[in-house]
Amino acid sequence: MPIDQQTLRSTVPFFEDISPDFLERIVPFMYERTFKKNSIIFIEGDEGEEIYFIRSGSVNIYSFDGSKKVILAVLQKGDYFGEMAVIRPGLVRSATAETASPTKLFTLRRTDFEKLIEQHPWLALQLLEYSLERLRRTNQQVYDLTFLNVKTRIMKRLLRLSQEYGVSEAEGIRIDAKLTHQQIAEMVGAARETVTKVLQELQEEGHILIRNKWITLPDRERMEKLLQEEI
């Protein structure tokens, strides 16, 4: 369905500083798509023809290490993905995108995205910085998988998620995404049973609270200090 520019601006920070006149021309070419939970949006190796902006829901970006699924990023409302493969014709998707919950996406095809960049060249720098940050995190994840134990990897990932998606509450910082033990296992490259055991340990030690799949960090600074001691 067509999108109005006010909805676009209020939902996706990427569009906040784009001129109203140009947005008025581009929004007719954008569409909203609805996906059920566990829907594949694209597969690693597919040719990229669209960039996606998350209106609601969440998306897992993952690849496979041999036969093991490794989640590279968990994206939420306002995030975008698929930008690397639409920058140049012929590039393919470097990972698979799958919804982690019922999700609504705004989509824009390559040709229209190119017009957007031509009219607002500074967006190219924003895209580059965003992509480089993703690459930096992926490289860090490879290091973590190689050199850190499972408990340390879990603490590090929970701290990062609390920084990216944390909501302050009376009990501490709640990660604003319901995470299953399997999802966390795929983020840190471990067996689900091992993750369950570590999460239970962290909860018994008072480092986290888990209620209905919501994870809260009562004292994030204390966990950061503990992480530094482990590293």
Side-chain angles (χ1 to χ4, degrees):
M1 58 181 293
I3 303 155
D4 65 90
Q5 61 171 286
Q6 182 55 42
T7 299
L8 200 57
R9 285 182 187 280
S10 63
T11 306
V12 183
F14 181 83
F15 293 101
E16 286 179 352
D17 298 322
I18 296 177
S19 64
D21 288 344
F22 188 76
L23 264 188
E24 186 176 352
R25 295 199 299 272
I26 202 72
V27 290
F29 299 100
M30 298 190 72
Y31 291 89
E32 181 180 304
R33 297 176 62 186
T34 300
F35 295 86
K36 296 179 181 179
K37 181 179 178 180
N38 298 328
S39 296
I40 299 294
I41 301 166
F42 56 72
I43 297 174
E44 183 174 356
D46 285 351
E47 187 171 346
E49 291 296 334
E50 292 179 311
I51 183 171
Y52 301 86
F53 305 87
I54 302 177
R55 178 174 185 175
S56 64
S58 57
V59 175
N60 290 333
I61 306 296
Y62 64 83
S63 187
F64 283 93
D65 179 12
S67 60
K68 185 166 59 179
K69 179 178 174 181
V70 179
I71 295 179
L72 305 173
V74 178
L75 306 180
Q76 304 282 339
K77 174 183 175 182
D79 290 329
Y80 58 90
F81 60 97
E83 75 284 354
M84 293 181 68
V86 300
I87 290 175
R88 183 164 59 89
L91 292 181
V92 297
R93 303 295 188 187
S94 59
T96 296
E98 180 180 351
T99 58
S101 63
T103 299
K104 291 184 178 181
L105 302 175
F106 299 139
T107 68
L108 185 64
R109 291 185 63 80
R110 178 207 304 280
T111 52
D112 300 309
F113 183 69
E114 288 173 347
K115 294 175 185 175
L116 180 63
I117 297 298
E118 288 173 2
Q119 292 292 324
H120 295 80
W122 57 269
L123 286 176
L125 181 59
Q126 181 175 323
L127 278 171
L128 178 61
E129 291 175 348
Y130 190 78
S131 297
L132 287 175
E133 177 61 18
R134 286 252 191 94
L135 179 60
R136 185 193 68 79
R137 290 180 179 179
T138 299
N139 288 339
Q140 184 62 55
Q141 190 170 1
V142 171
Y143 174 89
D144 292 349
L145 289 170
T146 304
F147 297 106
L148 301 183
N149 62 47
V150 175
K151 184 174 182 179
T152 304
R153 298 203 301 267
I154 291 174
M155 287 193 297
K156 192 170 185 180
R157 178 52 67 102
L158 293 178
L159 281 167
R160 196 178 99 187
L161 290 170
S162 74
Q163 292 167 351
E164 294 175 347
Y165 305 113
V167 176
S168 295
E169 296 185 334
E171 293 181 318
I173 305 297
R174 177 174 61 82
I175 298 172
D176 194 22
K178 286 191 174 183
L179 299 170
T180 66
H181 292 190
Q182 183 62 39
Q183 282 178 300
I184 296 173
E186 290 167 353
M187 291 178 194
V188 301
R192 182 182 58 79
E193 294 79 7
T194 303
V195 169
T196 298
K197 180 180 178 182
V198 171
L199 290 175
Q200 184 63 37
E201 289 178 3
L202 290 172
Q203 188 162 220
E204 290 173 354
E205 294 166 358
H207 297 302
I208 63 173
L209 297 171
I210 304 177
R211 291 195 179 92
N212 298 320
K213 298 181 184 178
W214 296 108
I215 298 178
T216 299
L217 278 57
D219 189 338
R220 188 162 61 188
E221 290 185 2
R222 184 160 67 98
M223 183 181 277
E224 288 173 346
K225 290 179 181 178
L226 178 62
L227 178 62
Q228 291 305 314
E229 293 172 1
E230 294 288 334
I231 296 176

